[in-house]
Structure formats: C-alpha cells, structure tokens
Amino acid sequence: MRIFRNLEEAGGHFGPCALTIGNFDGCHIGHQSIFRQVKAAASENGWKAAVLTFDPHPAKIVAPARAPKLLSTVGQRTRWMAGCGIEEVMILPFNSEVAALDPSAFVSNILSGALRARAVMVGDNFRFGHNQAGDVALLAALGERFGFQSKSMHALRLRGTVVSSSEIRRRLACGDVSGAARMLGRFYFLEGVVIRGHGIGAKQTVPTLNLDTAAEVLPGNGVYVTRTFDLEAERMWPSITNIGHRPTFGGDALAIETFLLSRLDSDPPVRLRVEFTHRLRDERKFDNAALLRLQILKDVERARAWHRRWDDIIKGYSPSRGYESRRNNDSFRR
C-alpha cells in the first residue's frame, strides 16, 4: 500500500482509481464491505483501489464539542484497509481551508484533480463540502460533469441494527464487547505499556499487569475475559481484565489490570495488546481483600471455561456470518 499525506505529494502519482471517502473509524464490517467493492471495481477496470480519509477527524475542526472519541488510530486503519485490498490511501490534513471548500471545489480540486478518481463509492448518507452541503445526488451530478462514475451503498445491518462506529462506541461503553466485536469483525483491543501499580494485588489478591494506554475509547467498567499479547515478542496469554477504580481499596484513578491465566515463564512484557472477548460482571466493592480474592478466583474459573470454547467464539465472530445487508445498487450511477 502507498500512503499519501497531502495533495502535493499525490500530484501525478495517485490513481486513476476507484475511490471511497470517509473517516472509517474502527474499519468495521460495513467499511470492509465497501473496501471490497472498491477493490472489485478497480480490478475490473484496471484502476487502483483507493481511500480518501482525514486527519484529524473533521468534527475536531468544525464542531470540536461534538467530535467523537476514536476507536482506532490512523495507522491501524491503514493496515486494516490494506488487508481488504486497498492499494492507495490519501490521509488529507483536515483544516479550515478544506472545510471551506464548496462541493464543486471539493470534487474538482481533490477527487477529480489530485486523486484522479474514475469511480467514487460512498454510503447513502454521505455528505461533503462546506457545511455538508453536498449529498449523493449532487456527487452523481458532479461526477457526470468531472468525468467519474458514482455509486451509493446502503448501510450494513447486523441482526437488524445498522453497523456504525457510533453504535460500536455505544456498545463498548456499556460493556457489550461481544456485540462490538461482531460489528468490528475482530475483538476490540487496547494497546499500551505496562506500568507499576500500587502493589495491592500482589500482596492481597492476585498479581496483575497494569496497562497505560492512549486509547480514546475504553470498554465500560467491569471484569472481562481477555487475551493478552506481548507486542515485543510472540507471546499470548489467556487472561481476565478489570477496568475500574478498585473500590474495595478506596481507589479513585481509573486502572486497567490484567491477570494472566497461564504462567509467565520469562521476563514480564513491556508493551501489551489486550483483546476484550466477553464481559463477566460489573466491578463491585467487597468488604475486604479476602472476599475480593475469592471472587477473582471464581472469575478465573469462568474465564478458563470461556477460553476452552475458543474455537466456537472465533466462529461466532466471523464477519461473514450473522449479519444482513440491504440490497445495494449493483450498477454505477451515471
């Protein structure tokens, strides 16, 4: 994959392409479906499969108070796009100048001009240009004027619910990591470094690894079945993770504490990825550390049972199962 970070860099090198446009936060199964259709159109016509995305998120410029917390970094998104067959990505710096472009200027200067789009494929709720003045009907009209085809696609549905980044954020916030995983087509994860905790677990309950992460979206407070990966070595452990404030010990700062269910036979990891597979229970305050430790041991047994059914869990979260899509228009709108 080739990544471009400004229009000048793209000049003469980007496209001709089949292009989709959006933020694609999380690169969920709806986004993946669009990427596959872009790839198919590009392959059929001898174009490149391409994405136009933005950094920062446009809302951070035009409506900072309403800007969403993001599920993923730009680097993560480009890697997932590459996995779906995308060959080129324009990460356009979104600033006041880009925000001020009217729909016609956005199409002529960026889509048709710098990116040499020959087909543009977007969701049917796509808006573009200053004050979001453009919609899919205007995109089609401008496409005829500037020499590209356009296609709008209905949103993907999972068990009757539209798949969207905002719905995934909602599910994570209430602890529904299983539902979020089905929409993502992968387990939601946090990455970060291991930091020193307060030492309470090692002395009074069970020893844990404490994660410091820059992630903007955290699953809701509670205890989860997880998988923990060492980002600097090929090691993985079944685990359980608590997100919360350690109420039994009067804690106030948020902590992300992971207990490994298999032995740590070598040096402890420095950088971790923790994947959230299933929610066990809410975080609770116990009368003393002994009662908390007893509950943790019960959690461990439930987590071990869940990990033993790992193959069934993987099949259940396959993005090719368990969701329905409204019919898309199979032809480009000319």
Side-chain angles (χ1 to χ4, degrees):
M1 173 191 278
R2 190 168 182 184
I3 298 175
F4 299 81
R5 297 187 180 275
N6 57 66
L7 297 179
E8 293 73 22
E9 185 179 310
H13 303 290
F14 200 102
C17 63
L19 179 76
T20 186
I21 309 165
N23 297 298
F24 303 115
D25 186 28
C27 287
H28 56 60
I29 58 175
H31 298 146
Q32 295 166 33
S33 176
I34 293 175
F35 298 151
R36 288 192 291 269
Q37 293 183 64
V38 167
K39 177 62 176 177
S43 298
E44 182 179 349
N45 292 279
W47 304 324
K48 296 175 182 176
V51 168
L52 168 61
T53 191
F54 308 95
D55 186 38
H57 191 291
K60 291 187 177 180
I61 302 300
V62 300
R66 299 200 302 272
K69 293 183 178 180
L70 298 181
L71 299 164
S72 54
T73 66
V74 172
Q76 289 166 347
R77 294 197 288 275
T78 56
R79 289 194 294 273
W80 293 327
M81 291 171 187
C84 293
I86 297 300
E87 300 166 87
E88 295 183 330
V89 177
M90 167 57 69
I91 305 173
L92 186 64
F94 196 89
N95 52 35
S96 57
E97 291 183 9
V98 175
L101 291 173
D102 63 37
S104 179
F106 179 82
V107 168
S108 62
N109 295 351
I110 298 177
L111 304 190
S112 177
L115 305 186
R116 298 194 291 172
R118 299 295 181 263
V120 178
M121 307 170 71
V122 294
D124 57 8
N125 63 346
F126 176 69
R127 309 289 300 197
F128 66 103
H130 183 59
N131 288 332
Q132 297 188 323
D135 58 13
V136 294
L138 182 56
L139 180 66
L142 291 170
E144 292 182 359
R145 176 180 168 189
F146 289 100
F148 61 81
Q149 306 164 28
S150 71
K151 178 181 178 180
S152 62
M153 293 167 282
H154 294 303
L156 200 66
R157 289 180 174 270
L158 174 67
R159 300 178 181 178
T161 301
V162 171
V163 176
S164 68
S165 301
S166 58
E167 174 62 17
I168 292 168
R169 293 184 195 103
R170 187 196 68 79
R171 292 187 179 206
L172 289 172
C174 66
D176 182 12
V177 294
S178 301
R182 294 187 185 97
M183 288 192 167
L184 286 167
R186 75 185 79 84
F187 294 119
Y188 187 70
F189 62 82
L190 302 176
E191 291 183 344
V193 297
V194 177
I195 58 174
R196 182 180 297 275
H198 295 275
I200 296 174
K203 296 176 181 177
Q204 301 189 48
T205 55
V206 296
T208 60
L209 299 173
N210 294 267
L211 183 69
D212 181 30
T213 180
E216 295 183 18
V217 177
L218 302 181
N221 289 5
V223 179
Y224 297 88
V225 181
T226 53
R227 298 200 307 167
T228 297
F229 296 82
D230 185 343
L231 291 178
E232 298 182 346
E234 293 188 359
R235 298 190 292 175
M236 186 278 288
W237 302 270
S239 53
I240 58 171
T241 298
N242 182 80
I243 299 179
H245 296 87
R246 299 178 294 111
T248 301
F249 303 107
D252 51 4
L254 185 70
I256 304 170
E257 302 172 297
T258 294
F259 174 65
L260 305 181
L261 302 185
S262 56
R263 183 181 299 274
L264 183 61
D265 291 323
S266 56
D267 293 338
V270 176
R271 296 178 61 244
L272 295 180
R273 171 184 294 173
V274 179
E275 290 185 348
F276 291 79
T277 67
H278 175 70
R279 182 181 175 90
L280 285 177
R281 62 174 176 85
D282 293 338
E283 184 181 42
R284 291 169 47 198
K285 181 177 181 179
F286 293 84
D287 290 339
N288 54 60
L291 290 176
L292 172 57
R293 187 176 188 278
L294 182 62
Q295 180 61 57
I296 291 174
L297 295 178
K298 292 179 182 178
D299 296 337
V300 166
E301 289 308 309
R302 292 177 62 196
R304 290 189 191 281
W306 184 267
H307 282 292
R308 284 194 292 268
R309 290 159 30 215
W310 181 244
D311 287 343
D312 290 339
I313 296 172
I314 290 293
K315 292 176 184 177
Y317 290 159
S318 170
S320 63
R321 299 179 57 191
Y323 63 82
E324 59 178 300
S325 174
R326 295 169 57 190
R327 177 183 292 179
N328 289 323
N329 179 3
D330 290 330
S331 59
F332 287 113
R333 188 184 305 166
R334 299 184 180 274

